[in-house]
Amino acid sequence: VLGYAHPLGATSIRPRLPVDPCPAHHSAFARALRPPSHPVLPRSSQMRPDGFGARRSARATMCAQPADTPERKVDKISPRLITSRLTKAESLSAILDVYKRHGSSFNEINVATAWSRLGKARATGRERLDFFRTEEHTLLQLLQHTDRTIYRLDARGIANACYGLAKFGFAPASTTLRLLSAAAMPRIAEFEPQGLANIAWAF
């Protein structure tokens, strides 16, 4: 204990607090006094709805995704199976949905088949315009995919892609059609008569 003189002459006794020789304890105490670095959620948002009052962590609550926005599942399958699914798809939406689901597995043959099927799909002019507006982003992705694979296409693939793109009528495809034309010129001797007719019709 430590004694000291009171101003009025009386002597008071004040206990001396023990000194902790471990600096780690002081660091832990200082960290405990710091404000939290993450936002503290209200107490009501940390309570479970089952009535037992167990708390969810703030990170789990903030990172939870709404149940009404499911993510589209992307499947990786063989190019041959993709061609089969494209051939069986009838509507514009069904054909493009194959690309949405399996686009990462598309090869150059799948790309040419997709445009050929889109060009042959039955739809009125108004239905095509509505489809262009609603699916513009995905169609532009398919065009970019086509541009990357053009020079791996054989003569038949080039002819099918040209015919499908021209008949489909998607205006931004004009650049891709020019690239297809440039790829076809050095290989003109490889085309069959039907392929040449398809290319001539496209341009």
Side-chain angles (χ1 to χ4, degrees):
V1 296
L2 177 66
Y4 64 94
H6 194 275
L8 298 180
T11 302
S12 300
I13 304 298
R14 183 179 64 180
R16 180 186 295 273
L17 297 177
V19 178
D20 190 349
C22 180
H25 292 175
H26 296 285
S27 300
F29 182 72
R31 286 195 301 270
L33 293 179
R34 293 176 185 172
S37 58
H38 57 77
V40 179
L41 298 178
R43 190 180 188 87
S44 59
S45 63
Q46 299 179 359
M47 302 298 290
R48 289 175 52 182
D50 52 15
F52 291 99
R55 296 186 179 182
R56 297 176 60 193
S57 67
R59 184 179 182 85
T61 303
M62 296 175 65
C63 297
Q65 296 182 353
D68 58 346
T69 55
E71 295 183 356
R72 178 178 291 273
K73 184 180 179 181
V74 178
D75 303 324
K76 290 189 176 182
I77 59 176
S78 67
R80 181 174 297 181
L81 185 55
I82 291 175
T83 300
S84 175
R85 295 188 178 184
L86 287 171
T87 304
K88 293 178 182 178
E90 297 293 338
S91 65
L92 295 173
S93 299
I95 296 168
L96 195 61
D97 190 61
V98 178
Y99 180 72
K100 290 179 180 179
R101 294 183 62 86
H102 312 294
S104 60
S105 302
F106 266 49
N107 63 8
E108 65 276 9
I109 298 175
N110 302 142
V111 169
T113 304
W115 288 121
S116 177
R117 295 295 298 158
L118 287 170
K120 294 177 180 178
R122 294 182 178 179
T124 64
R126 179 60 180 272
E127 289 173 345
R128 287 184 184 273
L129 290 177
D130 292 341
F131 186 75
F132 294 161
R133 284 193 293 266
T134 57
E135 299 292 351
E136 181 180 11
H137 179 70
T138 306
L139 290 172
L140 290 175
Q141 287 182 330
L142 183 54
L143 281 177
Q144 293 174 358
H145 199 146
T146 306
D147 295 345
R148 294 194 301 267
T149 59
I150 280 177
Y151 292 97
R152 295 203 300 267
L153 286 170
D154 58 6
R156 182 179 179 182
I158 292 175
N160 288 340
C162 282
Y163 182 80
L165 279 167
K167 193 171 183 181
F168 186 52
F170 188 48
S174 58
T175 301
T176 303
L177 280 170
R178 287 195 295 269
L179 292 175
L180 285 167
S181 175
M185 292 303 295
R187 311 172 63 177
I188 199 70
E190 302 176 18
F191 286 87
E192 297 179 356
Q194 184 62 51
L196 290 174
N198 289 343
I199 293 178
W201 183 88
F203 293 95

